[in-house]
Amino acid sequence: EAQVTQNPRYLITVTGKKLTVTCSQNMNHEYMSWYRQDPGLGLRQIYYSMNVEVTDKGDVPEGYKVSRKEKRNFPLILESPSPNQTSLYFCASRTSGRVWELFFGEGSRLTVL
Amino acid sequence: AQSVTQPDIHITVSEGASLELRCNYSYGATPYLFWYVQSPGQGLQLLLKYFSGDTLVQGIKGFEAEFKRSQSSFNLRKPSVHWSDAAEYFCAVGKSSGDKLTFGTGTRLAVRP
């Protein structure tokens, strides 16, 4: 089954404790992206990657890092989480070509105390 | 820069009534337009998309949307709402390059029995 898988789905952590949210897709997509969703703000793009070893900032990259060492994986790293990073995070990957579609993971709900 | 406005935060309709959710976008070139639905605690599911051609687009679950370039709008419609349509709906605009999808802030739909 074609899917985007995120882990963990739920996480409660404390300020300053480094964490990584993993994202993996099995569709051989070149493009992957991370979004955060906050009430009243919709989804905002954090980082995206057009291909392996190619990443770029989205609208809200502060406090986050990403890496793209292989095509299927695109982890999101919070080096020193803060309470304002409490959010629902979505990973997505996209088909190629002129007509494309974004596929989303199930989401990871992160709470930073 | 691209942007999306969903002017209605909450909408309540009676089951069986018709529905129209408004979406206005800002983008300098021909936009790629999408509607997603998010049920409580779930990820995002694509309802329909517009890239070019026929301005009336049919989607899943009986939804349709009409692209009106002169009004910069892409409103979502359904002739008869079912209780299971209660969810949050997001309109999004993307570039042809596909590097970014910009979302509106969402419209939460409640369905009255």
Side-chain angles (χ1 to χ4, degrees), chain A residues 1-40:
Chain A
E1 180 189 356
Q3 58 186 3
V4 179
T5 304
Q6 300 178 223
N7 281 294
R9 295 287 313 281
Y10 302 90
L11 179 64
I12 300 174
T13 189
V14 296
T15 300
K17 186 176 181 181
K18 180 180 178 180
L19 68 91
T20 299
V21 186
T22 64
C23 174
S24 179
Q25 49 94 5
N26 63 0
M27 296 169 278
N28 201 37
H29 290 164
E30 293 180 349
Y31 175 94
M32 297 184 74
S33 182
W34 276 102
Y35 286 83
R36 62 177 287 173
Q37 182 182 10
D38 302 290

Side-chain angles (χ1 to χ4, degrees), chain A residues 68-88:
Chain A
R68 187 90 183 274
K69 292 183 169 51
E70 46 190 347
K71 185 182 276 191
R72 65 182 292 122
N73 296 322
F74 190 44
L76 180 70
I77 303 158
L78 286 73
E79 293 270 1
S80 182
S82 62
N84 65 12
Q85 293 178 296
T86 292
S87 187
L88 179 59

